[in-house]
Amino acid sequence: MKTYSISEAAAHFNMTPHTLRYYDKEGLLPSIERTPSGKRVFKPSDMEALRIIECLKASGMPIKEIKHFIEWCSEGDSTLQRRYDMFLERKASVEAQMEELRRTMEVIDHKCHYYKTALEKSTEMVHHS
């Protein structure tokens, strides 16, 4: 089984080893094993857990709530409904963010067109007729 050092795991997710140490300290990586000298060893299952943590973080979920999710996972099947509901909430949140970004892109597209046209005519007056 392939394992990763903290530096390799951090590089894989484009983060710093400090961030991984923080996640570990906050209880987000409860299954991390250590070598006899105390170095963290990341297994494929830990890498998958990190992928989910990064996904949740990117969706705007605070570390405290991610920790609840990790705790629910360790509690087993009795928390399946809570975990499912949490992902439904994340999905709705991300969909709302995407809609907001779509509206933002419409404004940006409009302004790009506006300035491209003005540049082609060397004046903004082209839009004031």
Side-chain angles (χ1 to χ4, degrees), residues 3 6 9-12 32 35 39-40 44 46 52-53 62 79 87 98-100 111 113 115 122:
T3 61
I6 193 168
H12 182 80
I32 290 292
T35 65
K39 293 185 178 183
R40 292 168 181 87
D46 301 317
I52 299 301
I53 290 166
T79 63
F87 272 100
M98 289 171 63
E99 178 57 25
E100 187 175 324
K111 291 311 247 179
H113 175 74
Y115 287 111
S122 298

Side-chain angles (χ1 to χ4, degrees), residues 16-31:
T16 66
H18 175 78
T19 300
L20 290 178
R21 285 187 209 88
Y22 172 74
Y23 287 176
D24 190 19
K25 181 176 139 284
E26 290 298 312
L28 301 183
L29 302 169
S31 66

Side-chain angles (χ1 to χ4, degrees), residues 14-70:
N14 197 27
M15 61 176 68
T16 66
H18 175 78
T19 300
L20 290 178
R21 285 187 209 88
Y22 172 74
Y23 287 176
D24 190 19
K25 181 176 139 284
E26 290 298 312
L28 301 183
L29 302 169
S31 66
I32 290 292
E33 294 177 6
R34 292 181 180 254
T35 65
S37 64
K39 293 185 178 183
R40 292 168 181 87
V41 177
F42 293 79
K43 302 177 301 297
S45 59
D46 301 317
M47 298 296 278
E48 177 61 16
L50 279 170
R51 189 176 72 79
I52 299 301
I53 290 166
E54 284 300 288
C55 172
L56 293 172
K57 205 170 133 235
S59 77
M61 181 179 265
I63 295 291
K64 179 180 167 188
E65 289 182 34
I66 296 172
K67 185 175 180 180
H68 290 308
F69 169 71
I70 300 295

